[in-house]
C-alpha cells in the first residue's frame, strides 16, 4: 500500500515550536520529492515547503522562510517539518505529499496523507 502518514500536530502558543513527521511506505522514498502543504480555514491548500532529495534543493513559501525547516531521512523513509516561532496565521491542517510515479499506470501519482492539525493560539 502506498501511503504517507503525518503526526506531531497539536496546540502550541505563539512563538513556540513544533515538529511534524511524515512516515512514508509502499514506494521507493528516496527517488521522489517530498512536500508539506497546509490548508487554513477558508483558504485553499498551499505549498509550505519542499525537498527534492537528500542534500538537494529546499523550497519554502515566503510566509515561513526563516522559521520552518524541511528535512528528510531516507534511511527512515521520513520527512520532517520543524516549525519555529509559530504564529496564529500558521494554524492549519498540514499535509504530507509525495510526487511519485506509477510504473503500472505509467503516470505521475501524488500521494497525500490524512493531515495533522496545528493550532497556534494563546
Amino acid at each position: 500500500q502506498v501511503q504517507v502518514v503525518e503526526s506531531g500536530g497539536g496546540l502550541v502558543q505563539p512563538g513556540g515550536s513544533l515538529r511534524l513527521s511524515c512516515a512514508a511506505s509502499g514506494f521507493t522514498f528516496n527517488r521522489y520529492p517530498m512536500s508539506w502543504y497546509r490548508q487554513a480555514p477558508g483558504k485553499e491548500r498551499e505549498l509550505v515547503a519542499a525537498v527534492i532529495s537528500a542534500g538537494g534543493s529546499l523550497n519554502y513559501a515566503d510566509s515561513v522562510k526563516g522559521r520552518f525547516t524541511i528535512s528528510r531521512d531516507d534511511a527512515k523513509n521520513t520527512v520532517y517539518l520543524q516549525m519555529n516561532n509559530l504564529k496564529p496565521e500558521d494554524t492549519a491542517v498540514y499535509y504530507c505529499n509525495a510526487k511519485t510515479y506509477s510504473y503500472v499506470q505509467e503516470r505521475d501519482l501524488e500521494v497525500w496523507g490524512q493531515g495533522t492539525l496545528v493550532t497556534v493560539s494563546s
Side-chain angles (χ1 to χ4, degrees):
Q1 183 178 1
V2 177
Q3 65 177 11
V4 294
V5 180
E6 304 94 337
S7 63
L11 176 65
V12 64
Q13 293 184 323
S17 298
L18 211 57
R19 189 192 194 197
L20 306 183
S21 297
C22 171
S25 61
F27 61 93
T28 307
F29 180 81
N30 62 11
R31 292 186 178 181
Y32 304 106
M34 299 293 297
S35 303
W36 286 96
Y37 288 74
R38 69 184 181 188
Q39 187 165 20
K43 295 186 177 181
E44 296 293 321
R45 189 172 300 186
E46 64 173 343
L47 177 66
V48 177
V51 54
I52 304 302
S53 64
S57 298
L58 306 176
N59 296 289
Y60 299 95
D62 288 341
S63 60
V64 306
K65 285 182 178 178
R67 300 189 298 119
F68 290 12
T69 302
I70 188 171
S71 62
R72 63 191 296 161
D73 186 340
D74 289 351
K76 296 182 178 180
N77 289 354
T78 302
V79 62
Y80 305 94
L81 185 67
Q82 178 66 47
M83 305 183 293
N84 297 326
N85 191 25
L86 283 160
K87 303 176 180 180
E89 308 91 87
D90 296 318
T91 296
V93 177
Y94 285 72
Y95 298 91
C96 183
N97 171 267
K99 299 187 187 300
T100 72
Y101 182 81
S102 172
Y103 291 95
V104 175
Q105 302 180 44
E106 295 186 300
R107 67 177 181 88
D108 293 335
L109 179 65
E110 290 197 2
V111 182
W112 293 92
Q114 292 282 81
T116 185
L117 177 63
V118 173
T119 302
V120 184
S121 177
S122 60

